Every structure is written in structure tokens, then in C-alpha cells.
């Protein structure tokens, strides 16, 4: 079977970006509407349910990736029987996952009030019914034909899934916003979530049968192959668990010890930070597949050069993002949710530190994923997530919300990050660990300097008009930190690499416009 991988990759990336934008913009609007119509406690309750279900969803991590990976070879060889067998296995696993989530969710249900500080729940709702509705939406996402998605992913037609999801979710978000404004009822909001989840799964399944009518879930995978797939699932599960547990654990601890209102306020700030993280995810996702090929076909010296070059670009962009968070957070939050729902200024620095801790190791993580060393790296995320959870509970008792953020930063920077460097050096290619850490520390110092100068200058002028204030601060963050960073590292080969590639991109863009 011939697949135009380059064309499909471009289309997949394009519609993936649009989908990511939809998933950032509309939840932002809905969070705003929640606060205006139902109140901040409802938003906190919605965040708590989302975090609980994220933890229950851990059983899925790795299943889809491992099975899609297993389909690449039979698709290339046009082995229809093997693909059908894999689909059957996928369906079986997803039914099991849905059942596990349902059972665990029901077992957890009696304890839900204990996860809310002092049991302070909005008086006009039944928390058990709302929880069951959220649980049902999650379970249905696995039970209703979800296994057919693997065909689109394995054939690199993620653009089709993205288009379907964009349309369905656009309609869903629009209906939910209308329901919140008109009926101001959380039950109707959740009912729309369940309805559109069913519609999404059914339409995706119909399209799957239209594009790939020759594939049906029949046949059994040989035991040896099933064992190989299960090992991949295990490795991918542990590789992805850290991020889910970190964020969901933070939210559950906040709700348990502080209540829904503080959780909602925290989640509003985290939402902005996570939107910035999503942009980095798009950036890394755009070249991960190509990086895998580069790692296979190049020697260690070239791989090290690319690692250092990409790492410099990541820190350059991270510098701008951290400075922007520190300088723009509070004016934006005041405009968005009002002063009553804001944290103190100290937290903008902590969230910038949180962003740094999340993004700083990402270059190595992408190299690790492209090199496929999940098995060798499988204990690192588990240990880091466990340390984070323990520190969350201990630190929150003494320093409150500060402890939640600092414990996550500690687990990411001082456990997961150094361990990751060691694993890449040991299992992929030799890197000078001292040089790599030295560069990262220099970049961290430069970012700290840029944040301090940007914050100081931004506070030197104040305007009554918050829109003008945001605009001026954004211009300052767009220029000053970037100029300082380039000046400090002007002689580095990585800086030259970045500027040359930026110039090439501009040249190609202008050339393309002239050709149009």
C-alpha cells in the first residue's frame, strides 16, 4: 500500500494545530462563562472531576501508541489479515479499559465528598449524579467504536480525525456555552458532553468504514506478538504517566485540603501556562518523526550537535515565554476573571518556574522518544511522580499552594531531568554531561536575568487602560529578553545555527509569496 507520508504529515500537522487551537480557545471561553453564570465553585468541581478521570484514564496510556506502531509493518506489506487481528486486539483492550475505568470509578464514588475540603459543595446539585455523568462520558469514549481510530493513525490520516473532532467539538462547545448562558444548569452542560461524545465516536467509525471497508476486527494475534505489544504498552505507560499524575495529583490535593474555589483559581492560572506548553508540544511534534530517522542515519557527533542546537532554540523561546508570563499574567487575569479570583504576584514567578521545569527537559524527552528507549527510561517518570505526590501532601500542610508548585518543580528539575540526561547518555549516544548541564545552567541564569529586568521595566510604567498596558508589556517582552539572550550567547555556534535557520525560513517564506 502506497502512502504519501510527506503530504499526510503536512495535512496532519496543519489540522492538528487547528484542533489544538480549538481545544485552547473554547475551554478558555467556557471557563469564563462558568465563572459568570454558575460561579467559581462549579468551575472547581468541573476541574476536580477532570483530574479524577485523568487518573482513572492511566489504564489507556500506551495502548493506542503501541498498537498503531505495530500496524506500520503490515500496512506497508498490505497484510490485511494482520491488520484485522490487531484491530480485534485493540477493540478487546479498549473494552477492558472502559470496564476498568467504570469499576474503579464506581468504587471511588463513595469517597468523592472526601476529596472536597470541608465538603463545601454547591447546594443545588447531587455530586454523585454529576460524577456518574462525567464517568459515563469517559467510559463511552472507549466502548463506542474507539478502536477504529487506529486505522487513521496508522495510515497517517490523522487529518481526518482532526477535522471530525474540530467540527463536533466546535458544535459541542457552542451548545454548551448557549446552555450555560440560557439555562445556567450544570446537568445540561454534562448531558451535552455525553451526547457529543457518542456522536463523535459514531461519525468517526462511519468514516473509518468508508475509508477502510476491507478492515474488520477479526482473528487472533499470535501469543509471541501479543507479548511484544504488551511490553511496548508497559514501557509507554510508564513513560507517559508522570505528566498525568503530576497535574491531576496537584488538583486533587488542592481540592482535598483547600476546597473548590482555590482549585478553580489555581486551574485558571495553570490553564494559561498549559496553553504555552501546548505550543511547545506542537513544535516538538512537528519534527519528532524526522528526528527518529536522523538518529538512525547519523553518527554520535552529528546527533550531539543537533541536540545542542535544538536545546538552545528551546531555551531561547522559553526565555520569551517565561518573561511574558511574569509580566502579562496579572493584567490578563484581572481582565479575565477579576481581582477577586486572582492569586498574589508571587505566584506569577512560580508559574514561570513551573513552565521552565516542564519545558527544559523536553529536548531530551523528544530525543528519547525518537530513539525508542522507553524500556530503559520507564522507572524515571514513576519515581518522579511518586516523589511529587508525597511532597504535595507534606508541603501543602506547611506552605499551602506554594508547596504544590514547588514540589512539582523539584520532582521535575532535580529527579526527572538529571535521570533523563543519564539515560540518554547511557542508552542512546554519549554526551558530555558536564557541558550539557553547564549550558542549561547558563541558559537558566540568562532567563532569570531577563525575567528580573523585564519585570522591573514593566512595573516602571502603569496605565489605567489594561489593554494598552498588556500591549506595551508584550512589546517589551518580545524585544528585550530576546535581544539580551542573543547578545549573551552571540558567539555560540548554537546561536548562529538558530539565526541562520530563521533567515532561511524567512527567505523561503518570501520566495513562496512571490511565486504565489
Amino acid at each position: 500500500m502506497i502512502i504519501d507520508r510527506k503530504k499526510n504529515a503536512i495535512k496532519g500537522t496543519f489540522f492538528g494545530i487547528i484542533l489544538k487551537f480549538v481545544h485552547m480557545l473554547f475551554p478558555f471561553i467556557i471557563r469564563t462563562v462558568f465563572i459568570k453564570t454558575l460561579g467559581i465553585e462549579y468551575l472547581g468541581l468541573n476541574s476536580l472531576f477532570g483530574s479524577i478521570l485523568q487518573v482513572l484514564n492511566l489504564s489507556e496510556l500506551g495502548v493506542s501508541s503501541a498498537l498503531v506502531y505495530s500496524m506500520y509493518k503490515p500496512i506497508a506489506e498490505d497484510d490485511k489479515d494482520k491488520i484485522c487481528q490487531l484491530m480485534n486486539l485493540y477493540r478487546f483492550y479498549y473494552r477492558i479499559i472502559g470496564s476498568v475505568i467504570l469499576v474503579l470509578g464506581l468504587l471511588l464514588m463513595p469517597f468523592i465528598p472526601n476529596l472536597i475540603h470541608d465538603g463545601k459543595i454547591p447546594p443545588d446539585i447531587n455530586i454523585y449524579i454529576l460524577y456518574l455523568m462525567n464517568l459515563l462520558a469517559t467510559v463511552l469514549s472507549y466502548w463506542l467504536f474507539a478502536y477504529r481510530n487506529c486505522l487513521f493513525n496508522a495510515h497517517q490520516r490523522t487529518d481526518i480525525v482532526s477535522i471530525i473532532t474540530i467540527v463536533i467539538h466546535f458544535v459541542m462547545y457552542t451548545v454548551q456555552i448557549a446552555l450555560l448562558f440560557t439555562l445556567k444548569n450544570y446537568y445540561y452542560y454534562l448531558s451535552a458532553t455525553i451526547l457529543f461524545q457518542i456522536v463523535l465516536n459514531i461519525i468517526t467509525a462511519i468514516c473509518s468504514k468508508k475509508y477502510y471497508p476491507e478492515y474488520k476486527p477479526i482473528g487472533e494475534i499470535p501469543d509471541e506478538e501479543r507479548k511484544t505489544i504488551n511490553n511496548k504498552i508497559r514501557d509507554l505507560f510508564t513513560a507517559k504517566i508522570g505528566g498525568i499524575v503530576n497535574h491531576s495529583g496537584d488538583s486533587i490535593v488542592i481540592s482535598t485540603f483547600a476546597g473548590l474555589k482555590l482549585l478553580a483559581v489555581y486551574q485558571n492560572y495553570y490553564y494559561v501556562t498549559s496553553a504555552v506548553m501546548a505550543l511547545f508540544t506542537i513544535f516538538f511534534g512537528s519534527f519528532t518523526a524526522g528526528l527518529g530517522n536522523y538518529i538512525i542515519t547519523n553518527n554520535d557527533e552529528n546527533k550531539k550537535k543537533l541536540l545542542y542546537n535544538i536545546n538552545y532554540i528551546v531555551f531561547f523561546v522559553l526565555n520569551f515565554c517565561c518573561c511574558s508570563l511574569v509580566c502579562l499574567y496579572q493584567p490578563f487575569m484581572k481582565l479575565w476573571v477579576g481581582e477577586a479570583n486572582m492569586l498574589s504576584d508571587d505566584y506569577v514567578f512560580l508559574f514561570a518556574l513551573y513552565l521552565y521545569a516542564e519545558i527544559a527537559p523536553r529536548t531530551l524527552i523528544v530525543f528519547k522518544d525518537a530513539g525508542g528507549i522507553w524500556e530503559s527510561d520507564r522507572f524515571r517518570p514513576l519515581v518522579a511522580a511518586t516523589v511529587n505526590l508525597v511532597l504535595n501532601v507534606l508541603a501543602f500542610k506547611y506552605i499551602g499552594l506554594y508547596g504544590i508548585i514547588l514540589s512539582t518543580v523539584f520532582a521535575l528539575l532535580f529527579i526527572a531531568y538529571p535521570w533523563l540526561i543519564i539515560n540518554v547518555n547511557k542508552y542512546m549516544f554519549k554526551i558530555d554531561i558536564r557541558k550539557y548541564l553547564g549550558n542549561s545552567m547558563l541558559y537558566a541564569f540568562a532567563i532569570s536575568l531577563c525575567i528580573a529586568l523585564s519585570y522591573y521595566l514593566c512595573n516602571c510604567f502603569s496605565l489605567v487602560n489594561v489593554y494598552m498596558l498588556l500591549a506595551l508589556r508584550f512589546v517589551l517582552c518580545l524585544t528585550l529578553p530576546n535581544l539580551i539572550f542573543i547578545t549573551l550567547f552571540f558567539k555560540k555556534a548554537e546561536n548562529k545555527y538558530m539565526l541562520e535557520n530563521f533567515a532561511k525560513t524567512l527567505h523561503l517564506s518570501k520566495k513562496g509569496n512571490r511565486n504565489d
Side-chain angles (χ1 to χ4, degrees):
M1 180 177 290
I2 298 173
I3 298 176
D4 191 338
R5 298 191 183 279
K6 185 176 180 180
K7 182 179 178 181
N8 289 345
I10 292 171
K11 288 195 293 185
T13 301
F14 175 74
F15 286 106
I17 291 172
I18 295 176
L19 179 61
K20 185 73 73 174
F21 177 76
V22 169
H23 283 168
M24 286 193 295
L25 176 63
F26 278 93
F28 168 77
I29 296 172
I30 285 177
R31 294 184 76 86
T32 308
V33 176
F34 252 105
I35 296 170
K36 303 294 183 185
T37 58
L38 295 180
I40 195 76
E41 287 83 6
Y42 276 92
L43 182 58
L45 188 63
N46 199 55
S47 299
L48 174 62
F49 286 151
S51 297
I52 293 170
L53 293 171
Q54 261 195 323
V55 173
L56 294 177
N57 265 326
L58 286 175
S59 55
E60 190 278 337
L61 289 181
V63 172
S64 57
S65 298
L67 284 167
V68 167
Y69 180 84
S70 300
M71 282 187 174
Y72 290 151
K73 184 178 178 181
I75 286 174
E77 296 174 351
D78 201 21
D79 188 346
K80 292 183 176 60
D81 290 339
K82 180 67 68 179
I83 296 169
C84 291
Q85 292 168 5
L86 287 166
M87 276 186 66
N88 194 30
L89 183 64
Y90 200 4
R91 180 176 65 174
F92 171 74
Y93 280 158
Y94 262 32
R95 285 175 177 175
I96 294 296
I97 290 167
S99 301
V100 168
I101 291 173
L102 178 61
V103 172
L104 291 177
L106 291 174
L107 290 174
L108 183 62
M109 191 167 71
F111 305 99
I112 294 300
N114 298 327
L115 299 178
I116 302 172
H117 183 63
D118 292 337
K120 291 182 179 178
I121 304 166
D124 56 339
I125 62 171
N126 185 315
I127 192 170
Y128 297 110
I129 292 176
L130 291 176
Y131 174 72
L132 282 173
M133 293 175 73
N134 275 279
L135 182 62
L136 179 62
T138 302
V139 171
L140 287 176
S141 70
Y142 291 102
W143 279 354
L144 288 176
F145 311 110
Y147 65 92
R148 295 201 67 93
N149 272 355
C150 65
L151 293 174
F152 288 121
N153 293 329
H155 285 85
Q156 286 195 308
R157 292 309 309 270
T158 54
D159 58 303
I160 297 173
V161 178
S162 293
I163 290 169
I164 296 168
T165 308
I166 288 166
V167 173
I168 300 299
H169 280 185
F170 178 83
V171 177
M172 180 187 75
Y173 289 137
T174 304
V175 169
Q176 287 178 325
I177 290 168
L179 288 171
L180 287 172
F181 268 124
T182 56
L183 301 178
K184 298 180 174 63
N185 188 296
Y186 190 41
Y187 291 99
Y188 290 121
Y189 168 85
L190 283 180
S191 297
T193 302
I194 296 170
L195 174 63
F196 282 98
Q197 183 61 62
I198 294 171
V199 171
L200 175 63
N201 281 40
I202 291 174
I203 291 179
T204 304
I206 291 171
C207 291
S208 171
K209 290 177 181 178
K210 178 183 176 182
Y211 278 87
Y212 308 107
E214 68 273 27
Y215 300 135
K216 297 178 182 179
I218 53 175
E220 297 294 330
I221 290 288
D223 291 341
E224 195 61 34
E225 289 186 39
R226 185 192 288 252
K227 184 178 178 181
T228 301
I229 292 171
N230 288 341
N231 287 339
K232 282 191 175 67
I233 291 172
R234 178 202 65 193
D235 297 337
L236 286 165
F237 171 85
T238 55
K240 295 181 180 181
I241 193 173
I244 300 293
V245 172
N246 281 342
H247 175 53
S248 297
D250 291 353
S251 299
I252 293 170
V253 170
I254 293 169
S255 174
T256 303
F257 291 103
L260 296 176
K261 183 174 181 179
L262 182 60
L263 173 60
V265 173
Y266 167 82
Q267 286 283 2
N268 287 338
Y269 277 80
Y270 178 81
Y271 181 81
V272 176
T273 305
S274 65
V276 179
M277 293 179 197
L279 298 177
F280 279 95
T281 301
I282 293 171
F283 166 73
F284 286 120
S286 65
F287 66 82
T288 301
L291 181 60
N293 179 264
Y294 186 91
I295 288 172
I296 293 170
T297 57
N298 279 266
N299 59 37
D300 283 3
E301 195 59 35
N302 287 337
K303 284 183 275 192
K304 281 189 282 188
K305 284 182 181 178
L306 185 63
L307 173 66
Y308 288 124
N309 287 334
I310 293 175
N311 199 45
Y312 178 81
I313 295 171
V314 168
F315 275 97
F316 177 82
V317 178
L318 182 58
N319 177 46
F320 161 69
C321 292
C322 288
C323 291
S324 297
L325 283 183
V326 168
C327 295
L328 303 179
Y329 236 136
Q330 295 297 63
F332 175 77
M333 298 305 288
K334 183 178 181 180
L335 185 66
W336 179 27
V337 298
E339 287 189 47
N341 298 312
M342 290 173 60
L343 297 171
S344 65
D345 289 351
D346 302 342
Y347 285 97
V348 299
F349 293 97
L350 286 179
F351 276 101
L353 182 60
Y354 191 124
L355 177 66
Y356 176 88
E358 281 279 359
I359 302 303
R362 288 284 182 94
T363 305
L364 285 170
I365 290 172
V366 171
F367 268 78
K368 179 208 74 174
D369 289 342
I373 61 166
W374 302 303
E375 182 178 3
S376 307
D377 192 58
R378 67 183 184 274
F379 295 115
R380 180 187 59 85
L382 289 173
V383 173
T386 302
V387 170
N388 181 37
L389 277 176
V390 173
L391 289 178
N392 270 348
V393 176
L394 295 175
F396 192 87
K397 290 182 178 180
Y398 295 102
I399 53 176
L401 192 57
Y402 293 106
I404 294 290
I405 302 172
L406 288 173
S407 62
T408 304
V409 169
F410 176 84
L412 290 171
L413 285 185
F414 297 103
I415 296 176
Y417 194 15
W419 196 340
L420 181 62
I421 295 173
I422 293 169
N423 283 350
V424 170
N425 178 70
K426 183 176 180 180
Y427 297 107
M428 287 189 66
F429 53 87
K430 297 294 180 182
I431 58 176
D432 187 333
I433 294 179
R434 286 187 179 181
K435 179 183 177 182
Y436 191 87
L437 284 174
N439 279 346
S440 296
M441 290 175 68
L442 280 174
Y443 299 153
F445 171 78
I447 291 173
S448 301
L449 177 64
C450 290
I451 287 174
L453 288 173
S454 299
Y455 185 74
Y456 173 77
L457 290 174
C458 281
N459 283 282
C460 285
F461 56 86
S462 60
L463 295 169
V464 176
N465 189 311
V466 69
Y467 294 102
M468 286 295 295
L469 182 66
L470 278 168
L472 285 173
R473 288 191 172 192
F474 177 74
V475 171
L476 187 145
C477 292
L478 191 61
T479 53
L480 181 67
N482 293 337
L483 288 174
I484 292 174
F485 207 85
I486 290 174
T487 302
L488 288 174
F489 302 109
F490 186 75
K491 293 183 178 180
K492 285 184 73 70
E494 293 87 346
N495 186 66
K496 184 179 179 182
Y497 173 88
M498 182 187 74
L499 295 177
E500 286 178 350
N501 277 274
F502 180 67
K504 287 178 183 177
T505 303
L506 284 179
H507 176 72
L508 289 173
S509 176
K510 290 178 181 179
K511 186 177 178 180
N513 290 334
R514 286 197 298 267
N515 291 336
D516 290 341

